[in-house]
Amino acid sequence: MVRTMSAALLSLLAIAGSANAAQTFQTDYSITLMGIPVGKASFTSVIGNETFRIEGSLASAGMARLFDSTQGTTSVSGALSQTGTTPRSYDLNYRSDKKTQRTAIRFSNGNVTTTENVPPSRPRRGDWVHLEDGHLTSVVDPISSTLVRADSPAEVCNRTIRIYDGEMRANLRLSPAGSPQGGQVTCTARFEPVAGYRPSRSALKYLRDRARITIAFAPLADTGFYAPVDASIGTQVGTVRIVAQTMRTQ
C-alpha cells in the first residue's frame, strides 16, 4: 500500500517542457494533509522533439517525519506521441523507515513487457483481483499519466487514463469541473481500481466510492501538453493537497 500511495503522489507531481526543442524544467512541490505540511517533492524534466525523461524525488516533511520517515526517487523515459507519452522504462525506489522497495517496469509500444519488484510481492489470496495479460496493454506509468496532450483546455478533462504502478492497474476518469480560465482547467477525477488489489481494503473502497479528487492542469507554453499544478485528494484521514510552488527553466 505504501508503494501504491507513493506512486500515486508522484504521479500527480510530474512536469514537462517544450516538444519543439529540448528544454529542462525544475519544479518544486508542497504536500499538505488538512493544511499541515507532510511532504515535499522536486522534479527535473527534459522534453525533446520525440523523447522525454523525468526524474524526481519525494520526502516526508513536517510532522509526518515524526511518524513515518519516507524518501523516494523515481524516473521515467520514453517517446512522445500525438496522443501523449509512450513510456519505455519506469523506476521507483523508496524507503519508509526500515522498509525499502524497488519497482521497475519496462514497456514496448504501450504494453508492459516486464515488471520487477524487490522484494517480490507476497502471494495474494482471498478476494485479491489478479492481473491478467489484457490489463497490461495500452497503459502508462504513474508519472507519464500526468502529461496530457490536447488541442485546447476544453479537451483536457474528457479522457480516461489507464495506469499501472507495478502492482495495481487502475483507471482515472477525468471530467470537466468548470469552464477553463486563463488557459487553466480543473478536472474532477474518478479512481477506478481494475486489478492487482483487494476490494475489501477500506482505503481503496473510500477512494473508489467516496473520495473527491480534483486536478488543475495548466498549459506548458505552446507545446500542446498540459500538466497538473494543483491536486486535491480526499482520503479517510483528510484531504491531501499537492501544489506546485516554484517552476524554473534551466
Side-chain angles (χ1 to χ4, degrees):
M1 185 63 183
V2 174
R3 176 181 60 200
T4 301
M5 292 305 296
S6 297
L9 286 173
L10 289 167
S11 74
L12 294 170
L13 301 176
I15 197 73
S18 172
N20 296 319
Q23 293 189 33
T24 301
F25 284 77
Q26 176 73 36
T27 309
D28 300 317
Y29 297 83
S30 66
I31 307 169
T32 60
L33 172 62
M34 298 180 64
I36 300 172
V38 295
K40 58 185 179 179
S42 180
F43 280 83
T44 300
S45 307
V46 181
I47 306 297
N49 292 330
E50 299 178 349
T51 62
F52 74 98
R53 179 171 179 81
I54 303 171
E55 297 182 348
S57 62
L58 170 72
S60 54
M63 293 184 62
R65 292 183 60 87
L66 299 176
F67 304 99
D68 185 2
S69 179
T70 299
Q71 293 182 324
T73 61
T74 187
S75 65
V76 59
S77 61
L80 301 176
S81 68
Q82 292 298 316
T83 56
T85 60
T86 303
R88 295 194 184 107
S89 65
Y90 165 80
D91 294 274
L92 171 68
N93 296 271
Y94 75 85
R95 183 182 74 251
S96 181
D97 289 333
K98 296 181 179 180
K99 179 182 179 181
T100 62
Q101 178 75 47
R102 182 172 72 86
T103 296
I105 309 173
R106 300 298 177 256
F107 302 81
S108 177
N109 298 319
N111 303 325
V112 175
T113 56
T114 62
T115 300
E116 181 183 17
N117 289 309
V118 180
S121 299
R122 294 174 297 174
R124 307 298 188 178
R125 299 182 177 87
D127 63 347
W128 185 264
V129 180
H130 292 276
L131 286 164
E132 299 178 1
D133 291 343
H135 293 139
L136 302 181
T137 60
S138 301
V139 297
V140 293
D141 62 90
I143 301 300
S144 298
S145 69
T146 65
L147 298 180
V148 173
R149 200 166 204 171
D151 292 333
S152 69
E155 297 181 7
V156 171
C157 300
N158 296 311
R159 68 188 65 226
T160 296
I161 303 172
R162 296 164 54 90
I163 305 170
Y164 174 62
D165 70 0
E167 181 172 76
M168 178 186 291
R169 249 287 285 123
N171 292 332
L172 197 64
R173 295 189 183 274
L174 303 182
S175 302
S179 301
Q181 296 183 353
Q184 184 169 308
V185 61
T186 299
C187 310
T188 59
R190 181 181 177 186
F191 175 78
E192 297 180 346
V194 175
Y197 74 103
R198 195 176 301 282
S200 58
R201 299 226 32 188
S202 60
L204 285 178
K205 289 172 66 176
Y206 185 92
L207 283 173
R208 181 192 63 194
D209 301 331
R210 300 178 57 188
R212 174 172 171 78
I213 305 173
T214 61
I215 308 172
F217 289 85
L220 301 171
D222 60 353
T223 64
F225 280 96
Y226 291 76
V229 292
D230 190 341
S232 178
I233 309 168
T235 73
Q236 289 177 302
V237 296
T239 299
V240 175
R241 191 175 180 196
I242 305 162
V243 180
Q245 297 293 322
T246 61
M247 181 187 298
R248 301 178 297 277
T249 303
Q250 299 181 337

